[in-house]
Structure formats: C-alpha cells, structure tokens
Amino acid sequence: MDEIDRKLIAHAQNDGRASYAEMGAAVGLSVSAVNERLKKLQASGAITGWGARASAEALGLDLLAFVHVLLERPEHEAAFRQTMRDTPAVQECHHVTGEWSYLLKVRVANTAALERFLTERLKTVPGLGRSHTVIVLSTVKETPALPTE
Amino acid sequence: MDEIDRKLIAHAQNDGRASYAEMGAAVGLSVSAVNERLKKLQASGAITGWGARASAEALGLDLLAFVHVLLERPEHEAAFRQTMRDTPAVQECHHVTGEWSYLLKVRVANTAALERFLTERLKTVPGLGRSHTVIVLSTVKETPALPTE
DNA sequence: CTTGAAAGGTGATTACG
DNA sequence: CGTAATCACCTTTCAAG
C-alpha cells in the first residue's frame, strides 16, 4: 500500500468504469501494472467491490433520518443487530459511545414509511429502550468515497 | 422507472463490474435493453456514477465519528458548508432537526487526527457554537447501496 | 515496472422482426 | 423488447527487457 495504490483507489472510487489505460494515465502506470495492482488490492480486501451510485430521489427515498437507540439489555443485542441487517431501509448501524447505544442511518420514502419502520421494525425488538429520531432537512455533502489523503 | 429499472439499479449497485449480459440475465432483459436502460438511468440522474468500494482499515482510517454541530449565526452557514465540502475527512454533512444544526460523519486515522479536525478545521469556522462528538465503537452494517424495495 | 503481442470478451451501434 | 451482426476497444495473460 504505497502512494500509487492510494491514488489508484482514489481514482477507482470516483470513476469505477474507467479503463485500465485511463487509470494508468491518471496515476502514472502502464495498463499491466494497473491490472496487477487492482487485482492485489481486491485480493487483500483494500477494494471490496464495485458498484453504481444511485440517486435517492429517483428511487423515491425522500426521507433520510438518523435514529439514536438505547438498548438496555445486552442479551438482546444479537437479535437487534440481525434485525438491522435484515432491514433494507437501514443503511448504517453503528455501536457508539455516549448516552445512546446505537446510531442508525435510515432511508425511507416518507414519514409514513418512517413511522412503519419505528413501530413495526424497531420497537418490536425485545429489550429495546428509548429512541430519538433526527430528520435530515438537507444534505450538504454525502460521498461513499473514503478520503485517501 | 418501472420494476425492471429498480432491479437493474439494485444489481448495478452491488456488482458494478458485471457485464451487460450478466445484468440482463439477472433482471430478464437482453443485452441491448440493459444497455439502453442503463444509459437512460444515467441520463436521467437515477444512476449518478460508478465507483470502487474501499476498506477504511486498509486505508488506515481506523476512527469513525459522528459530530453534532451547533451553528448559531445563520450568516456563517455558507462558509461552514464550504469548509465541510473542502475537508476530505468529512464523508457526510447533513442539516438536521433537533437541538443541533448539523450532523457530520467524519473518518480519520486516529484520535490525534480527530483532534486536529475538531480544533483546526471545525472550531475555526466563524460563528460556530458547541459541538458534540460520538465515537463509533463498531459497525454492524454500512452499505452505500440504496434500498430498492 | 514497461513494452509488446495475442486471444477472447465487451461496449456501443446498427438493422430487422 | 429481442436477435443478430459489426467494429473498436478492453481485459487478461504471457514473455522479454
């Protein structure tokens, strides 16, 4: 993982359909070298996959919310985590420090869908305590690309 | 944007390097139809781009934090937003409801880098009030793919 | 790592049903 | 939307410097 690898990852994150020739030109490598490095980066797990980036609006997902969750009973953690993994609306689920146990990033169509998630998915989990929902009014920045600097 | 488009987006999100033939087989379309639909989805903005997914650990980004920010003076919003856009460590920046103004998702190497971000980047913004940082202990789920169901 | 070459696959476009 | 055909480009692998 040298400086060239970082540049390569940065470029691959922002233009995943670029040809090896283009990537090579961007980082100063030949096509063969790009091929080899990308293969190694994927084998080592530095690059985990490739994917299209979709627009939430276009998919009708007009509501983004962060939900803070308190889980008082540790014996119910496994069930809670599995529910989060199985729920498509949950984009992220983090175990966090502070007054709450978990922080969720939830994307749904509207407030009705958010209500369904909260009442039918979240509050039905055994051992679940309070929760606190923060609605996103607008997004200034949101990139799936990791910083390489 | 019909059911096939949604399936196509779902597949493209999870396997961005699949050939048109593979995507066609997955959603029940011919290669030509996949080609046409993907082009339309990109022209309409439903698909905004393609990119590699990288591992935060591999890039040495061992610390993930959510930073709640209070911005009391509205006249300094533009400068604050620009700073967030210009800071690679800031993966997300949302304007939110509740007791805080903004919620940031910040990814850095370690606590020292987090301290640098907070003192040198964030607290130097004019008009910035209090902030509250939540550290991620572990991540149960984190996907850049939007739900299509 | 680079160059060059060879083989097969793919993206993009066209035409027709 | 499907099939078929075309062509330029691309991916992949290999050998040699």
Side-chain angles (χ1 to χ4, degrees):
Chain A
M1 172 68 59
D2 58 5
E3 192 52 38
I4 298 182
D5 277 334
R6 305 185 86 88
K7 283 187 187 174
L8 200 52
I9 290 176
H11 201 272
Q13 283 190 132
N14 293 317
D15 188 1
R17 297 210 115 188
S19 69
Y20 291 4
E22 289 177 275
M23 293 189 187
V27 303
L29 285 183
S30 70
V31 171
S32 302
V34 171
N35 188 349
E36 289 168 9
R37 281 183 182 255
L38 282 181
K39 187 175 288 184
K40 284 179 188 171
L41 287 171
Q42 289 174 88
S44 71
I47 290 179
T48 59
W50 306 75
R53 295 186 181 148
S55 153
E57 309 162 14
L59 287 168
L61 299 166
D62 291 330
L63 187 57
L64 175 61
F66 287 89
V67 181
H68 303 77
V69 175
L70 196 61
L71 201 62
E72 286 162 339
R73 306 282 188 83
E75 64 265 33
H76 293 120
E77 288 226 346
F80 169 76
R81 292 179 176 220
Q82 196 56 48
T83 301
M84 295 303 101
R85 278 190 281 259
D86 294 344
T87 306
V90 176
Q91 257 195 305
E92 303 183 19
C93 173
H94 307 279
H95 190 197
V96 294
T97 62
E99 65 173 312
W100 300 96
S101 310
Y102 287 90
L103 177 57
L104 315 179
K105 181 179 176 184
V106 178
R107 215 180 268 276
V108 289
N110 45 44
T111 52
L114 179 61
E115 183 179 26
R116 272 199 303 280
F117 167 75
L118 292 172
T119 58
E120 299 175 11
R121 275 284 175 172
L122 195 60
K123 297 189 178 170
T124 55
V125 172
L128 195 118
R130 293 187 307 125
S131 75
H132 178 239
T133 300
V134 172
I135 304 290
V136 172
L137 299 170
S138 68
T139 294
V140 177
K141 181 182 188 177
E142 182 176 29
T143 171
L146 300 177
T148 55
E149 299 172 21
Chain B
M1 174 67 61
D2 58 5
E3 193 52 39
I4 296 181
D5 278 333
R6 304 184 88 89
K7 282 187 188 175
L8 199 53
I9 290 176
H11 201 271
Q13 282 189 132
N14 293 318
D15 188 1
R17 295 211 116 188
S19 68
Y20 292 4
E22 289 176 276
M23 293 189 188
V27 303
L29 285 183
S30 70
V31 173
S32 304
V34 171
N35 187 350
E36 289 168 7
R37 281 181 181 255
L38 282 181
K39 186 174 287 185
K40 284 179 188 172
L41 287 171
Q42 288 173 89
S44 71
I47 290 180
T48 59
W50 305 77
R53 310 224 162 113
S55 153
E57 308 162 16
L59 287 167
L61 299 167
D62 291 330
L63 187 57
L64 175 61
F66 286 89
V67 182
H68 303 76
V69 175
L70 196 61
L71 201 62
E72 286 162 338
R73 306 282 188 83
E75 64 265 34
H76 293 120
E77 288 224 347
F80 168 76
R81 292 180 176 219
Q82 196 56 48
T83 301
M84 295 303 100
R85 278 190 280 259
D86 293 344
T87 306
V90 177
Q91 260 195 305
E92 302 182 20
C93 172
H94 306 279
H95 190 197
V96 294
T97 61
E99 65 174 311
W100 301 96
S101 309
Y102 287 90
L103 177 57
L104 315 179
K105 182 179 177 183
V106 178
R107 215 180 268 278
V108 290
N110 46 43
T111 52
L114 179 61
E115 182 178 28
R116 272 200 303 280
F117 167 76
L118 292 173
T119 58
E120 298 175 12
R121 276 283 177 173
L122 195 61
K123 296 189 178 170
T124 55
V125 173
L128 196 118
R130 294 187 307 124
S131 75
H132 179 239
T133 300
V134 171
I135 305 288
V136 171
L137 299 170
S138 67
T139 294
V140 176
K141 180 182 189 177
E142 182 176 30
T143 171
L146 301 178
T148 55
E149 299 170 22

